[in-house]
Amino acid sequence: MAIPADVRARATWLRERLSWHGYRYYVLDDPEIPDAEYDRLFRELQELETAHPELIAPDSPTQRVGGKPLEAFMPVRHRIPMRSIRTETDTGPGGAWAFDAQVRREVGLSEDTVPVEYACELKFDGLAVSLRYEGGVLVQAATRGDGETGEDVTQNVRTIQVVPLRLQGAVPEVLEVRGEVYMSRPDFERYNARQRAAGLPTLVNPRNGAAGSIRQLDPNLAAKRPLSFFAYGLGEVQGWELPATQSALLDALMAWGLPVCGERTVARGADELMAFHRAIAGKRDALPFDIDGVVYKVNRLDWQQQLGFRTREPRWAVAHKFPAQEELTLVEAIEVQVGRTGAITPVARLRPVFVGGVTVTNATLHNADEVARKDVRVGDTVIVRRAGDVIPEVAGVVLERRSLDARPFAMPETCPVCGSRVVRLEGEVVARCIGGLYCRAQRQEAIRHFASRRALDIEGLGDKLVEQLVERDLVRNPADLYGLDVATLAGLERMGAKSAAKLVEALERSKTTTLARFLYALGIREVGEATALTLASHFGTLEALMTAEEERLQQAPDIGPVVAAAIRAFFQEPHNQQVIARLRAAGVRWPETEVKQAVEQPLAGKTIVLTGTLESLTRDQASDRLRALGAKVSGSVSKKTDYVVAGREAGSKLDKARELGVTVLDEAELLALLEA
Ligand code: I6G
């Protein structure tokens, strides 16, 4: 039966709109319509295609996942070989100078002529692929393989949302786009957290995540591991005249709707190459994906052609490395730490190793299941990974290096600190010491948490001091802190009269706080910073919260039965009630005006990012005050950010704000906003 013309037209319109909105959402991170509207259009197209299967086109957004599992990947011969790029391992300026000198020599430039122009890009830590578009439609995706022949991974690459199934605008007849498939760090962390919770194997690093997913024979499984893609070059092209430069080529790729990384620039001469290297090294931890260096390419394509190739590598490009984010080291011991809630966490004590810019000596192993799953043993050689702001991790064990006397870990049956029993409740992955506040480690952690920067922020009350205070039984709970005097403190190790006096002042200062910080500081199970904020603004007063029944607690946003039960149990405990009463009697207080309904909050709905150093208040203080006025304070800049507040030495976040056209405020403007 012929498909009515209006149905066909509607399907075409829906496909185009969905492709456009997918591009806005995934590539530009700047959606034009709400998710619910996108979902509605998507469902409408799915329904039309189900009713009229003839309407289904390979570039339909409904067709990203759906292929059958493959028996094997078919070989794909690259019409133009996929080269790898030479790596410069000298991570200092020598790397940039050597490359510039080689290029100048080979293009025949003398010392005193103008500097060579380079396109500077990032060296993504992923998997190289080639995407072939014919008539603007994605027809094939292949891995690099040996450079001459790769594997056909079209089904899996189609599941990557940022890869357009159809290019936008006037496109060449044939366009092969070369680039890198990668897994973002947040996606990697989320994936591993889910796997850990389900007791399943974790990924060693995002690169393995990307490679494993691309080489997955079942595209439905591949789609479950979210991947991304950046385009950086071309293979075969028909029906398009190349522009004059690499940077213009990248602009053209972007105009066709392909994702090109925004962290790129054009540099002139070796010093500017090095400046790019330094700038990116400084931002590396803040990027949402792993890179292992930067790439310099001679910008003029005619010079690239003239320079040609040295065996397999282009002479016109080089990857200038950064220090590694993964290294090998030895597990010298596996010990356990007792946390604030009694959770017993195995920790690997490592032979010191420099990785990701710091010397790492410890890495958490999370819990006994994780140790068993990774099969980490004392004496093993392990891969340590430290990337981004994430704490160092044992990513995996090098089994070939295992010696016969490597010793497996066993969870202790009693707490190494207080000797109480260690139990693991059904359904929990964590083993806990049942000692409660009898356990010195738990007391210590509770005090440390209470004094921490984001809680009552007691300056000068460091870990060693807390340890002494608890060990000497001077402090058993947070309220005892406010009974300390200069004479007692001055008698402690490494404390003079001056630092003792300073600490007493800091204790005094800490008494003026916010209800949200106070709630967070109490260390109630399940109540982190965000929940504390919700509770403070929902209940308004501590008394209202302390007397609320579970049902009433669950009326607050995002408070479910588990959290409600934990809060209720905490406040019903007489010991906790006493500590709270003593804290209040000692003078711990917060402004009653802190709590306002959303309508009265002048910054409700605004997202604000703070960057750089502020002169008149700390970033935490600024965040508190902004939140109290209803703003959401975020750590990263996107198109959805309303303001970026830039203090002294603001870095990449300020650059990103300017790039995205987000309003930037200086400190004076921030203060005006807070006062208003
Ligand atoms: O492996 C690579 C990573 C990044 C590249 C590359 C790149 O540009 C940003 N560019 C080329 C030309 C090649 N490999 C061969």
Side-chain angles (χ1 to χ4, degrees):
M1 194 183 69
I3 302 170
D6 59 335
V7 172
R8 195 176 282 281
R10 179 76 183 162
T12 305
W13 183 87
L14 284 167
R15 261 203 307 271
E16 282 172 8
R17 293 328 294 155
L18 284 164
S19 298
W20 171 250
H21 291 303
Y23 169 71
R24 298 287 311 200
Y25 184 89
Y26 291 107
V27 181
L28 300 187
D29 189 19
D30 184 23
E32 274 179 351
I33 56 170
D35 294 359
E37 175 64 5
Y38 181 91
D39 292 345
R40 203 187 57 71
L41 297 176
F42 193 91
R43 272 197 307 275
E44 187 185 341
L45 179 59
Q46 265 180 330
E47 280 159 20
L48 285 185
E49 289 176 344
T50 309
H52 308 281
E54 311 89 294
L55 282 175
I56 298 176
D59 61 325
S60 171
T62 60
Q63 302 303 302
R64 284 200 178 266
V65 192
K68 290 194 187 69
L70 300 171
E71 296 283 323
F73 295 110
M74 298 306 286
V76 174
R77 188 144 184 90
H78 299 300
R79 291 168 174 87
I80 296 190
M82 281 184 84
R83 311 285 186 184
S84 53
I85 202 166
R86 184 170 72 81
T87 297
E88 175 59 68
T89 45
D90 171 355
T91 56
W97 288 331
F99 176 59
D100 183 50
Q102 170 232 312
V103 169
R104 296 180 69 83
R105 206 173 41 246
E106 291 181 359
V107 294
L109 288 175
S110 66
E111 283 307 312
D112 53 0
T113 48
V114 283
V116 174
E117 217 177 68
Y118 297 98
C120 301
E121 300 167 51
L122 305 187
K123 179 87 170 70
F124 313 106
D125 201 4
L127 189 79
V129 294
S130 184
L131 313 181
R132 186 175 173 87
Y133 288 89
E134 288 177 1
V137 175
L138 177 68
V139 293
Q140 190 173 61
T143 59
R144 185 194 327 249
D146 63 6
E148 306 289 333
T149 307
E151 288 179 325
D152 187 331
V153 289
T154 313
Q155 288 212 93
N156 291 346
V157 169
R158 289 173 65 86
T159 70
I160 303 174
Q161 294 285 357
V162 295
V163 170
L165 299 179
R166 174 187 282 276
L167 299 175
Q168 298 167 12
V171 289
E173 271 157 60
V174 172
L175 180 76
E176 275 181 12
V177 180
R178 304 263 158 100
E180 199 94 349
V181 167
Y182 67 94
M183 184 179 268
S184 78
R185 277 206 289 257
D187 281 336
F188 167 75
E189 299 296 340
R190 259 195 297 273
Y191 179 85
N192 272 358
R194 262 206 316 271
Q195 291 288 102
R196 224 175 264 132
L200 295 169
T202 48
L203 300 168
V204 170
N205 53 36
R207 187 185 58 249
N208 286 17
S213 184
I214 282 295
R215 300 209 68 262
Q216 168 63 249
L217 289 164
D218 181 351
N220 292 292
L221 291 181
K224 294 208 168 85
R225 288 187 189 179
L227 297 184
S228 241
F229 172 78
F230 279 131
Y232 56 64
L234 294 180
E236 189 188 10
V237 181
Q238 286 177 31
W240 187 56
E241 197 171 326
L242 290 179
T245 60
Q246 165 74 9
S247 48
L249 190 155
L250 294 178
D251 293 340
L253 294 179
M254 276 177 74
W256 286 320
L258 286 152
V260 173
C261 181
E263 297 289 352
R264 62 183 171 109
T265 193
V266 173
R268 285 161 199 86
D271 288 347
E272 287 189 22
L273 290 181
M274 217 36 229
F276 181 74
H277 189 270
R278 264 196 309 276
I280 298 297
K283 291 181 183 178
R284 186 187 191 186
D285 278 358
L287 294 173
F289 44 82
D290 278 6
I291 54 171
D292 52 17
V294 292
V295 176
Y296 312 135
K297 295 175 186 169
V298 171
N299 202 24
R300 279 177 58 165
L301 296 189
D302 58 343
W303 281 5
Q304 287 191 5
Q305 191 126 48
Q306 184 187 330
L307 285 159
F309 293 85
R310 175 195 300 120
T311 51
R312 310 173 70 85
E313 295 163 343
R315 294 177 119 90
W316 42 266
V318 74
H320 195 183
K321 287 275 209 173
F322 290 147
Q325 289 183 315
E326 278 177 20
E327 288 292 352
L328 297 185
T329 192
L330 201 77
V331 178
E332 294 182 330
I334 300 178
E335 293 174 359
V336 296
Q337 270 175 357
V338 187
R340 181 162 53 83
T341 57
I344 307 256
T345 308
V347 177
R349 305 288 179 212
L350 304 169
R351 178 171 290 174
V353 60
F354 190 73
V355 53
V358 297
T359 301
V360 174
T361 52
N362 300 308
T364 175
L365 292 167
H366 299 283
N367 54 57
D369 287 356
E370 178 84 351
V371 183
R373 208 163 34 246
K374 287 190 174 152
D375 191 18
V376 184
R377 302 185 188 182
V378 178
D380 271 347
T381 298
V382 290
I383 304 163
V384 176
R385 174 180 155 82
R386 187 195 167 269
D389 303 329
V390 183
I391 46 176
E393 276 233 291
V394 170
V397 176
V398 185
L399 284 176
E400 309 86 273
R401 295 218 196 161
R402 173 167 286 166
S403 68
L404 287 175
D405 54 0
R407 274 174 294 124
F409 166 77
M411 184 57 88
E413 285 171 13
T414 56
C415 171
V417 177
C418 72
S420 301
R421 262 185 321 119
V422 168
V423 297
R424 185 170 160 183
L425 298 180
E426 220 181 287
E428 280 210 6
V429 283
V430 179
R432 289 180 201 278
C433 156
I434 58 160
L437 288 181
Y438 166 75
C439 177
R440 188 168 41 77
Q442 292 182 52
R443 283 206 303 275
Q444 220 161 275
E445 287 307 310
I447 308 284
R448 215 202 308 258
H449 173 77
F450 184 84
S452 63
R453 213 163 52 84
R454 310 181 81 94
L456 281 226
D457 192 17
I458 307 174
E459 219 177 304
L461 189 59
D463 291 357
K464 290 272 173 262
L465 201 53
V466 172
E467 233 174 85
Q468 284 191 68
L469 290 169
V470 172
E471 232 153 56
R472 296 180 187 208
D473 220 13
L474 291 168
V475 171
R476 298 184 66 83
N477 62 54
D480 293 340
L481 287 171
Y482 294 100
L484 293 170
D485 54 28
V486 175
T488 314
L489 287 169
L492 297 173
E493 275 166 39
R494 280 184 279 159
M495 279 293 275
K498 215 162 149 192
S499 25
K502 270 193 163 164
L503 181 55
V504 170
E505 278 168 32
L507 280 161
E508 202 49 45
R509 268 199 311 279
S510 74
K511 289 179 183 172
T512 307
T513 185
T514 63
L515 176 56
R517 275 179 176 261
F518 181 76
L519 293 175
Y520 174 62
L522 291 176
I524 306 167
R525 285 261 300 261
E526 313 288 343
V527 178
E529 263 185 299
T531 307
L533 258 171
T534 304
L535 293 171
S537 49
H538 189 81
F539 287 93
T541 65
L542 181 62
E543 289 63 33
L545 176 64
M546 284 181 76
T547 50
E549 301 287 343
E550 281 177 47
E551 203 177 308
R552 170 85 186 83
L553 286 164
Q554 286 189 55
Q555 287 166 3
D558 301 326
I559 306 288
V562 175
V563 184
I567 298 169
R568 188 78 189 124
F570 182 90
F571 287 121
Q572 276 185 322
E573 170 65 48
H575 170 262
N576 292 335
Q577 291 169 6
Q578 267 170 25
V579 171
I580 290 169
R582 283 183 55 216
L583 284 166
R584 301 207 77 182
V588 176
R589 60 192 173 272
W590 45 88
E592 290 301 327
T593 52
E594 183 188 343
V595 183
K596 290 185 177 161
Q597 291 307 306
V599 281
E600 294 174 41
Q601 293 187 309
L603 297 180
K606 298 277 184 234
T607 301
I608 301 180
V609 174
L610 299 169
T611 181
T613 310
L614 300 170
E615 305 290 339
S616 55
L617 68 180
T618 66
R619 260 207 252 175
D620 282 342
Q621 287 168 334
S623 303
D624 279 349
R625 291 184 57 187
L626 289 167
R627 286 196 186 109
L629 297 174
K632 179 174 163 217
V633 180
S634 164
S636 57
V637 183
S638 75
K639 282 248 171 174
K640 289 179 216 147
T641 309
D642 294 287
Y643 305 115
V644 167
V645 178
R648 208 164 19 85
E649 285 165 26
S652 58
K653 290 180 191 169
L654 177 57
D655 297 343
K656 179 102 191 259
R658 292 200 174 122
E659 196 182 301
L660 297 176
V662 174
T663 307
V664 176
L665 305 181
D666 61 17
E667 185 162 348
E669 289 168 313
L670 166 70
L671 294 176
L673 191 69
L674 292 172
E675 294 312 317

